[in-house]
Amino acid sequence: MSPSTPKPRYSADPTHAWGILTPRFWHGMRLGTWLSLLATRQCRLTPRSMITAASITPVSGFNSIAAAWQNFRFGRQVHRQVLAEPPLFVLGHWRSGTTLLHELLITDPEHTYPNTYECMLPHCHLVTQKWLAPLTSWLLPSKRPMDNVEAGWDKPQEDEFALCNLGLPSPYLCWAFPHNGPVHSEYLDLREVPKRDRRRWQALLKLFVKSIAVSRNRRIILKSPPHTARVKWLLEIFPRAKFVHISRDPFKLFPSTIRLWKSLSDVQGLQPDLPEYDWMEGEVLQNLQVMYKAYQEDRELIPEGNLCEIRYEDLTANPHQEIQRMYEQLDLGNYDRVKPGVDRYIERTGDYQTNRYQIPPEIEAKVRDNWGIYFDMFGYGESGSDS
């Protein structure tokens, strides 16, 4: 499959596909955040997407009221919350196996994670999740459209979406109006973001993590690919944080990332009937360079014993061996308590098949020419296999 794979068609049935009635992440915004997004983007809506866009405005008004109620009920408690353990960040490029690694780590009963509901409604999950999640679970598909991984309100999710809905700029906001191209690229590594804005970003991430701890105060496992470029700033707010990085054959990463971004633009976007997104290929190529230039500089800042690097190929070939090595290297405790959960996860997902890709020679050449830093850092040869 090449990066030009046609985008999936919509279905009006929200229980089987990401139809027009299915909640987008932008449904989780407060009214001010949603109106600000509309005001700063070229809102070229199609008749199909107008239904979704029209539904977001009243929902965002409800979110604003619920957010005020959560702040009244839990605001002081969230600010004072002390984390039981420093968080563990799963790092890696999109489609490198971060989801697999995240789900394996949360089989540990001493770990927890932000779920999809909490990332969609980060400002009011403490006062709405118990009753609103069961009422709306039927609206979500059972599988993610890009890779058939299980979906649902209770499934682990990227905290980058929570940051979007908290009103922070993020490269992910391009998926709301994808025809307009990339936005907020400076927030990928935060290096060019003014100090005041970066402090606000750090403060809101810390408060979100604390809000999860109010519900479940165990080690929180966080997974968002952009965090790979933000290690320096993460360490400023969580100095004792632990990190695990996963790498994968770059010739698999590129087409899979293109597929992911197109799928997210289709299912999360408000411009589903507009032309293909010509900007994506260049943006994906550029983002990896920015991400791994930052990671190469920042990983030296991580205290000894707080970073483990693994390969997707090794993890899928020997999951117990790699996870046990990670537990020992990061001092996460006795692996014996984790092994039963890992066994159950492997048994449950044993029939999962990864997508297969055949990319043309000219695309291979672009990947090789632009992603040399990744080939060198993780020892992938010219063919993407071990050097």
Side-chain angles (χ1 to χ4, degrees):
M1 183 176 294
S2 73
S4 59
T5 302
K7 60 184 180 180
R9 292 186 176 275
Y10 273 68
S11 166
D13 182 355
T15 65
H16 293 91
W18 291 80
I20 59 175
L21 299 178
T22 302
R24 271 61 169 179
F25 265 96
W26 330 124
H27 277 95
M29 290 181 170
R30 287 165 291 183
L31 183 60
T33 306
W34 169 239
L35 295 179
S36 176
L37 178 64
L38 293 179
T40 57
R41 303 290 280 152
Q42 300 175 21
C43 306
R44 298 173 57 191
L45 299 177
T46 67
R48 183 195 300 268
S49 61
M50 284 181 183
I51 299 173
T52 301
S55 71
I56 294 177
T57 302
V59 171
S60 66
F62 166 82
N63 295 339
S64 295
I65 296 171
W69 179 240
Q70 174 165 301
N71 188 55
F72 175 76
R73 284 281 311 278
F74 293 99
R76 184 174 299 179
Q77 183 179 351
V78 170
H79 277 84
R80 293 179 175 178
Q81 182 68 45
V82 176
L83 301 181
E85 296 285 350
L88 189 157
F89 290 91
V90 175
L91 307 179
H93 194 271
W94 294 273
R95 310 304 297 152
S96 61
T98 54
T99 296
L100 170 63
L101 184 53
H102 196 197
E103 295 197 343
L104 286 169
L105 280 166
I106 65 175
T107 62
D108 187 333
E110 295 188 14
H111 292 169
T112 190
Y113 57 91
N115 64 35
T116 298
Y117 188 93
E118 291 159 344
C119 289
M120 185 167 181
L121 293 162
H123 36 66
C124 63
H125 66 89
L126 290 172
V127 294
T128 62
Q129 183 168 195
K130 287 184 179 180
W131 61 272
L132 188 55
L135 288 176
T136 55
S137 60
W138 66 276
L139 289 170
L140 273 68
S142 60
K143 304 282 186 181
R144 301 194 314 189
M146 72 289 295
D147 55 14
N148 288 321
V149 171
E150 291 180 356
W153 284 137
D154 61 336
K155 301 302 179 185
Q157 188 55 260
E158 295 183 21
D159 55 284
E160 188 74 12
F161 286 108
L163 299 181
C164 291
N165 284 331
L166 286 168
L168 289 171
S170 167
Y172 282 19
L173 289 171
C174 71
W175 294 323
F177 297 100
H179 185 63
N180 299 330
V183 296
H184 303 305
S185 298
E186 73 277 12
Y187 274 80
L188 178 59
D189 65 353
L190 297 173
R191 277 162 163 72
E192 300 301 321
V193 173
K195 184 176 181 179
R196 178 179 178 181
D197 294 334
R198 192 168 61 242
R199 294 296 189 200
R200 178 172 178 263
W201 183 93
Q202 291 175 306
L204 288 179
L205 173 60
K206 189 172 185 178
L207 283 176
F208 174 65
V209 172
K210 286 186 171 186
S211 76
I212 302 302
V214 168
S215 297
R216 305 176 301 278
N217 198 6
R218 304 190 290 276
R219 187 186 300 278
I220 299 172
I221 313 299
L222 298 161
K223 187 271 288 191
S224 285
H227 288 336
T228 309
R230 301 164 176 166
V231 170
K232 178 178 180 179
W233 318 117
L234 296 174
L235 284 170
E236 286 187 354
I237 50 177
F238 302 112
R240 296 170 51 235
K242 296 179 184 288
F243 301 87
V244 55
H245 178 276
I246 186 167
S247 59
R248 189 182 185 185
D249 178 353
F251 292 127
K252 301 287 197 308
L253 283 188
F254 181 77
S256 188
T257 301
I258 294 292
R259 175 186 170 88
L260 168 70
W261 282 31
K262 285 185 176 181
S263 179
L264 285 168
S265 295
D266 292 334
V267 303
Q268 294 292 338
L270 301 172
Q271 299 170 314
D273 298 324
L274 294 178
E276 289 285 350
Y277 317 119
D278 297 333
W279 54 271
M280 282 189 184
E281 181 179 299
E283 187 71 4
V284 170
L285 290 170
Q286 174 66 20
N287 277 350
L288 182 136
Q289 296 179 53
V290 172
M291 183 180 292
Y292 281 92
K293 182 177 183 295
Y295 179 66
Q296 190 173 47
E297 296 173 359
D298 292 351
R299 66 177 174 178
E300 303 302 322
L301 303 174
I302 301 174
E304 185 177 355
N306 284 1
L307 170 65
C308 179
E309 295 184 336
I310 66 176
R311 285 184 170 205
Y312 175 83
E313 295 81 6
D314 296 334
L315 180 62
T316 53
N318 299 290
H320 284 299
Q321 177 179 307
E322 287 301 297
I323 300 170
Q324 184 169 4
R325 179 174 71 86
M326 179 176 56
Y327 264 68
E328 293 172 355
Q329 193 166 332
L330 296 178
D331 193 21
L332 295 176
N334 192 329
Y335 181 66
D336 289 342
R337 75 166 188 269
V338 185
K339 190 176 183 299
V342 172
D343 284 333
R344 287 191 295 271
Y345 179 84
I346 294 172
E347 182 179 357
R348 189 174 76 250
T349 60
D351 58 350
Y352 175 77
Q353 297 292 322
T354 59
N355 294 314
R356 297 180 180 275
Y357 300 96
Q358 291 181 341
I359 60 176
E362 61 269 22
I363 298 296
E364 282 194 9
K366 284 186 179 181
V367 172
R368 193 179 297 110
D369 292 344
N370 286 274
W371 286 5
I373 187 172
Y374 195 89
F375 282 87
D376 293 341
M377 285 182 72
F378 304 110
Y380 289 98
E382 288 291 305
S383 65
S385 58
D386 291 357
S387 59

